[in-house]
Amino acid sequence: MKEIEGAQTKQSRMQHALAVREFAQTQSSSVGVRRVDRHTAGEFVSNVLLRSGASQNTVNRKIASLSSMWQWLIKRGFVSDNPWQGQGSFKNRLNLEPAKRAYAADELTKLLSADPVSIMGQRYGTVLFDLMRVGLMTGCRIKELCQLRTVNVIVKERSFRILSGKTGNARRIVPIHKPAWPIMQRRLVSSSDGWVFSVLTPANPDGNRS
């Protein structure tokens, strides 16, 4: 993990660690990496990952994380082959999944006219109400908006800075459309913790929110 620190994002490194930990928890504590063969890997994929209900993309990502670890083990001389190679993909299963579609106009109207407070309560309902509208007006990822701090809002220019993301291109200045600006003003005034969308619980120990 230390070796890939500068090459991959913190989110990617955490996903690698979680995949390895999930596999390790299904194995006996006495099983070393040299005893993990294709049969062991295949059983984990079939009996754990594919039965978990996770999406195919998530399953393939976890297999890729385990495969990356074994590539490192090969490079360092701990093992001689990678039992995770070829364990992913599952194109036939992907073809069975229904294609995603855009919301119809009446569905969007129903979604935006609903009251999140009555469904999720005052604390999170109010935040969700504003998140939906700012997200629609800016095209930002929900995670980018959840991690937006008040100091990164440029009031004079009616915009805000995104400081990081999945790629270098994620760093940018985002203009705020006129109908969304009153929401941002209200959020700035009411913020009690330095976040634009206050009261959300940090997802990680370092305070990042997703």
Side-chain angles (χ1 to χ4, degrees):
M1 296 298 288
K2 203 69 176 167
E3 290 179 23
I4 64 174
E5 197 168 276
Q8 297 192 21
T9 65
K10 183 174 181 179
Q11 180 182 3
S12 294
R13 298 196 306 273
M14 288 181 61
Q15 288 175 340
H16 291 327
L18 288 171
V20 173
R21 188 178 302 127
E22 184 177 358
F23 171 66
Q25 288 173 345
T26 66
Q27 305 300 306
S28 167
S29 58
S30 62
V31 174
V33 291
R34 291 186 178 88
R35 292 178 59 185
V36 178
D37 54 18
R38 291 195 66 78
H39 178 72
T40 304
E43 279 195 330
F44 175 71
V45 172
S46 297
N47 298 335
V48 179
L49 295 184
L50 293 180
R51 292 184 180 179
S52 67
S55 70
Q56 189 56 65
N57 286 338
T58 299
V59 171
N60 281 330
R61 174 175 54 74
K62 291 181 178 181
I63 295 172
S65 292
L66 289 162
S67 182
S68 295
M69 177 180 172
W70 255 256
Q71 288 173 11
W72 179 86
L73 291 169
I74 291 172
K75 183 167 69 172
R76 292 291 180 262
F78 292 105
V79 298
S80 57
D81 66 299
N82 185 349
W84 302 98
Q85 276 188 328
Q87 297 278 12
S89 186
F90 312 101
K91 292 181 180 179
N92 290 337
R93 180 176 171 179
L94 280 174
N95 292 336
L96 295 176
E97 294 180 357
K100 293 182 179 179
R101 64 171 181 82
Y103 283 114
D106 61 326
E107 291 172 328
L108 276 174
T109 301
K110 184 176 181 179
L111 181 64
L112 292 173
S113 61
D115 178 17
V117 174
S118 65
I119 301 172
M120 302 186 67
Q122 184 69 37
R123 180 178 182 182
Y124 293 112
T126 304
V127 177
L128 182 60
F129 185 91
D130 289 346
L131 269 173
M132 288 169 58
R133 282 151 181 80
V134 175
L136 281 170
M137 289 291 182
T138 61
C140 289
R141 295 174 180 271
I142 292 298
K143 182 175 181 179
E144 291 176 331
L145 294 176
C146 288
Q147 294 184 342
L148 181 62
R149 292 186 175 273
T150 56
V151 294
N152 293 323
V153 178
I154 311 171
V155 175
K156 290 183 178 180
E157 299 179 10
R158 292 191 177 184
S159 61
F160 56 84
R161 295 184 183 90
I162 299 294
L163 301 180
S164 62
K166 287 190 172 182
T167 67
N169 293 330
R171 298 182 60 182
R172 64 198 188 278
I173 293 179
V174 180
I176 305 173
H177 199 278
K178 186 177 180 179
W181 181 242
I183 297 175
M184 190 62 65
Q185 287 180 303
R186 174 163 45 79
R187 283 281 156 194
L188 290 174
V189 171
S190 63
S191 176
S192 59
D193 52 13
W195 301 99
V196 171
F197 295 95
S198 300
V199 311
L200 294 177
T201 304
N204 304 318
D206 62 3
N208 283 334
R209 311 191 298 180
S210 58

